């Protein structure tokens, strides 16, 4: 059975595979654990903040890559072949993502 998004559009027969992001997410998980240890060890505040900033940057990068894939696939398809209602649903979906 073909998996599609809420408007019936998707890049392929299934939603895109984001498993290539798992190694990066595992590194981020390790960084979070490192911060927990730093806090437990009462490390210097700027050192903790630098690590937190690195985690935010890494998550932001992954978020951007997934969003780009969604825009290039599902959203493009909705705007190329979809009805006006489907296009409006995609716009609403993107607005919700940014709230």
């Amino acid at each position: 059975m073909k998996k599609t998004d809420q408007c019936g559009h998707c890049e392929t027969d299934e939603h895109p595979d984001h498993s290539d992001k798992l190694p990066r997410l595992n590194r981020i998980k390790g960084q979070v654990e490192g911060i927990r240890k730093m806090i437990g060890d009462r490390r210097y505040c700027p050192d903790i903040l630098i690590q937190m900033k690195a985690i935010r940057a890494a998550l932001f990068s992954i978020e951007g890559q997934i969003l780009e894939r969604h825009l290039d696939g599902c959203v493009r398809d909705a705007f190329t072949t979809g009805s006006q209602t489907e296009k409006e649903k995609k716009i609403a979906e993107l607005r919700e993502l940014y709230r």
Side-chain angles (χ1 to χ4, degrees):
M1 172 183 251
K2 183 176 179 176
K3 293 181 183 178
T4 59
D5 65 11
Q6 65 185 6
C7 297
H9 291 90
C10 196
E11 180 178 359
T12 64
D13 286 344
E14 294 184 6
H15 292 289
D17 178 14
H18 300 292
S19 61
D20 61 322
K21 308 297 183 274
L22 294 176
R24 186 99 185 259
L25 288 170
N26 287 332
R27 282 193 298 277
I28 292 167
K29 180 180 174 183
Q31 287 177 293
V32 170
E33 287 303 315
I35 290 172
R36 289 174 53 92
K37 184 174 181 343
M38 291 173 78
I39 290 172
D41 293 344
R42 299 184 65 166
R43 294 276 303 271
Y44 187 53
C45 298
D47 292 342
I48 296 168
L49 294 169
I50 288 168
Q51 288 304 309
M52 293 177 98
K53 185 174 181 173
I55 290 169
R56 278 196 312 274
L59 285 172
F60 185 73
S61 174
I62 294 169
E63 176 185 8
Q65 292 167 15
I66 292 172
L67 176 60
E68 191 172 330
R69 189 172 290 169
H70 181 61
L71 291 171
D72 287 343
C74 300
V75 175
R76 182 187 309 265
D77 187 39
F79 275 83
T80 303
T81 63
S83 68
Q84 185 61 33
T85 301
E86 291 168 334
K87 293 173 188 176
E88 289 171 8
K89 284 182 181 179
K90 280 295 175 203
I91 290 170
E93 175 186 83
L94 292 172
R95 279 190 182 126
E96 185 62 31
L97 285 171
Y98 280 97
R99 285 191 188 145

